[in-house]
Amino acid sequence: MKGRLRLGVNIDHVATIRNARGGPHPDPLRAAAVAQAAGADGITAHLREDRRHMTDGDIERLVAEIALPLNLEMAATDEMLAIAVKHRPHAACIVPERREEVTTEGGLDAAGGRQGLEPVVGRLTEAGVRVSLFVDPDPAQLDAAAALGVPVIELHTGAYCEAFYEAGATAPATLGELDRLVRGAAHAEALGLECHAGHGLTFDNVTPVAAIPTVMELNIGHFLIGEAIFGGLDSSIKRMRAIMDKARADSLGSRTA
Ligand code: PXP
């Protein structure tokens, strides 16, 4: 364990709600400020090709005006690369993007797409941006990420979260997906990669992921913004923080007991 488990709050869906009406409310920057006050360690935002939630102006304002580090999620396209190099966010997480998908459905094919990724990783790194790749917990993908020279990978937790809701917390399918994450995190550590994780995490399913001691950061968005409807953004983030901190403390306690 190398430090406190960080929480990156993904504020894309504040922009989704704003864009439903086209005006300025609710403002993602205000959400970033609330997230910071509530204990978030970073802000995550995905600028999609179709600009369905975050806009270029949002990214510009986030870089200029928020104190927390910005993790820009982006596809490995020339357009996004130019934007990232212009704004130089703290970090960029390269994700696969398909126009027709509702959300990022699977991990990046770092193994199959190595040639295309190499120049993007190189250019971002030269610009001083910390690059991560959003990959499934598959050893071949992690090996490819290490070969590309990125310092960070983010494990896609979507399959685990889906199994959790479809089959239950202790069903073999869920435990199997959790085991893939645990083994993926261990493999990443053996390769010297910092390990992050995210997608589909909620109050109910976050504990086993937060308990993996080499996972350094969780990026969580949709659930936190949805939960904010009922109790406020401040409260949903503080509760997530508390669950994550407890999971990590309990897992460390059980390792040293
Ligand atoms: N991490 C990455 C790389 C993502 O693409 C997303 C979704 O934008 C998330 C984390 C957060 O997922 P969710 O919104 O389901 O919490």
Side-chain angles (χ1 to χ4, degrees):
M1 209 322 248
K2 299 163 200 146
R4 177 187 192 243
L5 175 61
R6 296 192 300 268
L7 171 61
V9 174
N10 180 317
I11 55 172
D12 290 348
H13 296 300
V14 177
T16 303
I17 297 169
R18 176 196 60 193
N19 297 356
R21 279 289 169 97
H25 303 287
D27 185 356
L29 258 84
R30 186 170 167 203
V34 171
Q36 180 173 5
D41 302 288
I43 297 298
T44 293
H46 185 174
L47 185 66
R48 280 184 169 268
E49 184 196 17
D50 63 9
R51 310 304 198 265
R52 68 176 71 161
H53 35 58
M54 286 291 156
T55 64
D56 298 62
D58 290 330
I59 301 300
E60 200 169 324
R61 290 168 64 222
L62 285 167
V63 170
E65 295 175 33
I66 64 166
L68 288 178
L70 177 67
N71 173 32
L72 176 67
E73 293 178 358
M74 54 173 274
T77 62
D78 290 344
E79 184 198 18
M80 289 303 150
L81 179 60
I83 291 168
V85 167
K86 178 174 163 209
H87 292 302
R88 294 170 198 254
H90 165 75
C93 180
I94 303 180
V95 301
E97 202 175 295
R98 289 191 302 117
R99 233 175 255 190
E100 65 277 18
E101 71 189 359
V102 175
T103 182
T104 313
E105 280 167 358
L108 192 70
D109 184 6
R114 190 167 159 186
Q115 268 199 328
L117 286 168
E118 231 157 30
V120 178
V121 171
R123 196 63 198 88
L124 288 168
T125 306
E126 268 169 32
V129 179
R130 197 155 188 254
V131 184
S132 74
L133 303 184
F134 189 43
V135 291
D136 289 321
D138 168 354
Q141 296 298 341
L142 297 167
D143 291 344
L148 278 160
V150 296
V152 182
I153 53 92
E154 180 167 331
L155 294 179
H156 196 309
T157 54
Y160 156 73
C161 294
E162 254 172 54
F164 188 101
Y165 278 107
E166 278 166 20
T170 57
T174 310
L175 297 178
E177 289 299 342
L178 181 61
D179 188 50
R180 285 182 74 213
L181 291 170
V182 169
R183 284 188 285 118
H187 195 84
E189 190 186 33
L191 292 167
L193 295 164
E194 181 172 308
C195 185
H196 299 175
H199 206 279
L201 295 170
T202 69
F203 295 153
D204 291 337
N205 64 25
V206 74
T207 291
V209 181
I212 302 171
T214 54
V215 171
M216 302 308 296
E217 178 175 307
L218 299 181
N219 283 299
I220 310 180
H222 184 266
F223 176 80
L224 289 174
I225 305 306
E227 206 46 29
I229 293 168
F230 305 107
L233 186 57
D234 173 77
S235 147
S236 75
I237 292 170
K238 282 185 177 152
R239 186 161 165 212
M240 185 62 82
R241 241 293 33 117
I243 296 170
M244 285 165 51
D245 288 346
K246 180 172 183 330
R248 181 54 59 93
D250 287 353
S251 86
L252 291 177
S254 68
R255 264 155 227 271
T256 51

